[in-house]
Amino acid sequence: MARRRRVRRFRARGGNRRGGARPDRSPKPRCGSISPVTDSNQPEQTAAMLRLTSVRGPTVPAVEVTRSGGVIGRSSACEVRLVDATVSRRHAEIRYLGDRWMLVDLGGANGTWLNDVRLDAETATPLAPGDRIGVGPWVLRVGSWAPTTIAMADADASEDAALIQPLQPDAAGQLAHHRLQLVIDCAGRINEAVDERDLAQSLLESVIEGTGYCRAALVRLAGDEEGVEVLGRRSSDDGPPDQFSRTLVTRASAGEFVTLAGQQTADWGRSIADLAIHSAMCCPVQVDDQVAACLYLDARGSEDRVADDAAGFCYALAKLGGLAIANLRRRSMQDRQREMDAEMAAAREAQQLMVPLKPAELVGLDYAVEFHPGRVASGDLFDVVELSGGRIAVMLGDVSGKGVGAAILMAAAQAFLHSALSRHEHPNDAVAELNDFVRERSAANRFLTLWVGVFHPGGTLEYVDAGHGYWAHCRAGGAEIHSAAVSPLVGALEDIEFVATKIDVTSGDRIVLMTDGVPEQPDREGAPFGLDRILEVLERTRTCQEDVLELLAAVRAWAGSDALADDTTVASVAAR
């Protein structure tokens, strides 16, 4: 590589050198100045929408996934449709669980990748802003936590072909002996980096010291390919680069190691020529076979310190950078998983503290219950409470959200309702008091669906269905499913009247309660378990224990897995 090259300046021309038409006489900028991209409505990690933008692969539009989740696959029914032979019909799924976004591989062909790490099938993995999801030939970036980007622009592709040339690694030359220590030092620093931006600064320090380039940056294409996200910038003189060649970055992002052939001349307009850039290169930083970032360098004006073997040195550091980024991403995923596991353990411990007494210690009712948390800790509640006058209260509820927050609200609501039932003769008065308690003390997006019934001596059941809707009354002549709640959710509105309904129950009648995880559990094609299948099970069961075990077994069989999509609790209570 020459130490210094002169760059000829040309006035802007609308046509190309071969005499093509000149539809536009205005100059076409090659490089863009700093142009931050911001979004005043940018959501937090708990936003109602998750935005996925394709950063590699065939062109697909950006997709927004709501908290109800979305399936990634080639089926026309998928929310994120990626049509390719390497993508399964239902390849992966994004779910909103435990106040966070999760990615689940559904056993798709060729696997699902997160930050270049292959996911285990049917295992929920937390997502974070900036994560990259690999499915078939696509890489989808997790947003809308949009990074600040710097815009790029280039002149006609015909000129790019003459000026931008690929550089093969085997032609990069051997590292000078005195630079070996720089590589070793760089490896030590980047191994201690806490994140990708910290890593970028360590890498750029060694790049400038070892190549002779005055300016360096670690960048990657933004989702719309109109700009670059800058992970780090560094300069040895009057400032870091604030402009980048679109063609250099785009080709490096496709896996090429490219250099600006300074001996070529062309009409650069107001960009490279005005900046007097006489040498530049862009090297892909790869994690496995995917480009995670690009190492961009340039030299300008009178700078002539670029080393002859700069390309080889840059290539070696890019390899180290790729290995370090892979380690950082794996470490980040492990930390997220450990955090989620700790939350699950804490939430389940809180729930176990509220499990009711053993059936043998109660008088007047037989019951069976089983909790089956979904992929994160359960927000379901169940309790049996002995009241004065021989009355017995039974309750089943589902707290919105998952994780520790939902478990704490569940425990508080359960304890409060236990106390309220002991003070009020009718369950609707107790639920109204609970409604005020939840509204005053919980976040705006926290509420409960609740079914609470009081069994009176003599065969009367007085119950309140507050937004719950899923329960069955099993008699000797068959089962009847109830799916429509009479009263609203607990904690959603103020000054609400909750309605109590009375029915007769005879000895041997069973009340089977369930959370919405039972009827709404999807199979692998997305079809719900449904109410008819619940009836089929309850028509053949005869005891509380059979109700619970048979119904959960049927739901697991429908799901095709023991890992269910949502918290699932089934309880059966029989009057003696």
Side-chain angles (χ1 to χ4, degrees):
M1 180 183 296
R3 293 282 182 168
R4 181 179 179 186
R5 298 187 179 97
R6 298 182 62 185
V7 178
R8 294 177 58 191
R9 299 172 185 263
F10 293 82
R11 291 185 301 174
R13 297 192 301 268
N16 58 36
R17 295 188 175 191
R18 294 186 176 92
R22 297 186 293 171
D24 184 0
R25 294 183 180 274
S26 60
K28 297 182 179 180
R30 261 191 180 274
C31 298
S33 59
I34 297 178
S35 178
V37 177
T38 60
D39 181 1
S40 60
N41 297 316
Q42 178 176 319
E44 301 298 328
Q45 186 166 348
T46 56
M49 292 284 188
L50 179 74
R51 184 177 176 84
L52 297 179
T53 305
S54 174
V55 295
R56 184 172 306 140
T59 302
V60 293
V63 178
E64 289 185 341
V65 180
T66 67
R67 287 188 180 181
S68 59
V71 176
I72 302 172
R74 71 170 189 269
S75 169
S76 60
C78 292
E79 287 76 11
V80 184
R81 192 180 185 202
L82 303 176
V83 181
D84 188 86
T86 61
V87 179
S88 298
R89 295 184 69 253
R90 290 173 53 84
H91 195 104
E93 186 173 4
I94 292 176
R95 298 170 180 165
Y96 186 79
L97 301 171
D99 295 334
R100 71 179 71 199
W101 295 97
M102 312 286 283
L103 177 64
V104 181
D105 175 69
L106 299 179
N110 304 308
T112 303
W113 301 74
L114 181 61
N115 296 334
D116 310 305
V117 178
R118 183 165 183 164
L119 302 182
D120 294 331
E122 300 296 339
T123 299
T125 301
L127 289 171
D131 279 352
R132 296 189 170 201
I133 301 171
V135 176
W138 283 276
V139 174
L140 305 176
R141 181 170 185 164
V142 176
S144 318
W145 308 289
T148 298
T149 63
I150 290 182
M152 301 185 298
D154 272 323
D156 294 337
S158 59
E159 294 179 355
D160 296 336
L163 292 160
I164 308 298
Q165 298 181 356
L167 180 65
Q168 300 299 326
D170 57 2
Q174 299 296 321
L175 289 176
H177 178 72
H178 68 277
R179 292 192 179 87
L180 181 59
Q181 189 60 44
L182 290 176
V183 175
I184 295 173
D185 292 344
C186 180
R189 286 197 304 270
I190 64 178
N191 188 56
E192 296 174 355
V194 297
D195 56 33
E196 292 186 17
R197 296 185 183 278
D198 188 25
L199 180 150
Q201 293 303 322
S202 298
L203 189 64
L204 295 174
E205 179 181 339
S206 296
V207 165
I208 287 181
E209 186 175 355
T211 63
Y213 279 100
C214 290
R215 298 167 189 80
L218 191 66
V219 302
R220 59 184 168 215
L221 285 177
D224 56 8
E225 297 193 7
E226 291 298 323
V228 289
E229 177 191 356
V230 179
L231 299 176
R233 293 184 288 173
R234 200 171 182 90
S235 171
S236 63
D237 60 356
D238 59 353
D242 56 6
Q243 295 176 313
F244 304 95
S245 164
R246 181 200 307 275
T247 304
L248 279 172
V249 176
T250 300
R251 290 180 62 172
S253 296
E256 289 186 87
F257 187 174
V258 290
T259 180
L260 175 65
Q263 71 274 13
Q264 303 290 335
T265 58
D267 179 8
W268 286 88
R270 298 172 49 207
S271 54
I272 297 294
D274 286 348
L275 294 171
I277 292 178
H278 60 75
S279 181
M281 67 173 59
C282 199
C283 180
V285 179
Q286 293 185 275
V287 177
D288 297 326
D289 61 343
Q290 297 184 348
V291 177
C294 299
L295 192 56
Y296 182 97
L297 305 94
D298 73 40
R300 309 178 183 186
S302 61
E303 302 161 5
D304 58 358
R305 297 182 294 107
V306 177
D308 291 334
D309 59 356
F313 187 73
C314 182
Y315 182 77
L317 292 189
K319 284 291 187 182
L320 286 176
L323 294 173
I325 288 176
N327 288 334
L328 279 174
R329 291 178 175 180
R330 291 187 181 97
R331 191 188 312 162
S332 174
M333 289 176 58
Q334 291 169 354
D335 290 344
R336 288 183 228 163
Q337 198 68 44
R338 280 195 294 268
E339 179 183 354
M340 187 182 71
D341 291 345
E343 287 186 0
M344 290 171 61
R348 287 172 180 166
E349 182 178 354
Q351 187 176 36
Q352 288 301 313
L353 293 174
M354 305 301 294
V355 171
L357 299 173
K358 296 179 181 180
E361 299 178 44
L362 292 174
V363 178
L365 288 179
D366 294 323
Y367 77 88
V369 62
E370 184 172 336
F371 294 94
H372 193 300
R375 298 183 185 276
V376 292
S378 175
D380 293 351
L381 66 87
F382 174 78
D383 205 356
V384 178
V385 183
E386 291 185 279
L387 303 174
S388 61
R391 298 174 300 145
I392 299 177
V394 177
M395 65 189 77
L396 180 69
D398 184 359
V399 179
S400 64
K402 308 293 184 290
V404 174
I408 291 175
L409 179 56
M410 174 272 295
Q414 189 169 342
F416 186 91
L417 185 58
H418 189 295
S419 175
L421 286 168
S422 67
R423 297 193 303 271
H424 294 284
E425 181 180 355
H426 302 289
N428 55 314
D429 295 327
V431 175
E433 192 173 333
L434 175 64
N435 183 72
D436 295 338
F437 174 83
V438 173
R439 277 188 50 81
E440 292 173 359
R441 291 169 175 79
S442 67
N445 62 339
R446 294 287 194 191
F447 49 82
L448 295 80
T449 66
L450 178 68
W451 190 98
V452 54
V454 176
F455 289 83
H456 295 268
T460 301
L461 170 63
E462 185 179 14
Y463 71 89
V464 174
D465 189 340
H468 193 76
Y470 296 117
W471 65 285
H473 186 184
C474 300
R475 303 181 179 90
E480 178 185 4
I481 290 284
H482 296 262
S483 60
V486 176
S487 298
L489 303 169
V490 175
L493 301 169
E494 62 181 341
D495 299 329
I496 292 299
E497 180 180 357
F498 292 88
V499 178
T501 303
K502 292 184 179 181
I503 61 174
D504 294 330
V505 291
T506 60
S507 178
D509 281 6
R510 306 188 314 279
I511 302 298
V512 181
L513 309 171
M514 67 205 75
T515 55
D516 57 9
V518 175
E520 296 177 7
Q521 170 62 47
D523 65 3
R524 292 191 177 275
E525 298 301 319
F529 186 72
L531 299 179
D532 290 342
R533 293 180 181 84
I534 296 174
L535 274 177
E536 290 177 7
V537 173
L538 297 181
E539 290 286 354
R540 64 174 182 263
T541 55
R542 294 292 180 268
T543 68
C544 294
Q545 193 72 15
E546 288 181 1
D547 292 338
V548 172
L549 295 180
E550 292 293 328
L551 192 51
L552 282 175
V555 171
R556 292 189 188 101
W558 180 256
S561 170
D562 287 340
L564 303 182
D566 196 3
D567 301 336
T568 302
T569 299
V570 178
S572 180
V573 182
R576 291 180 181 175

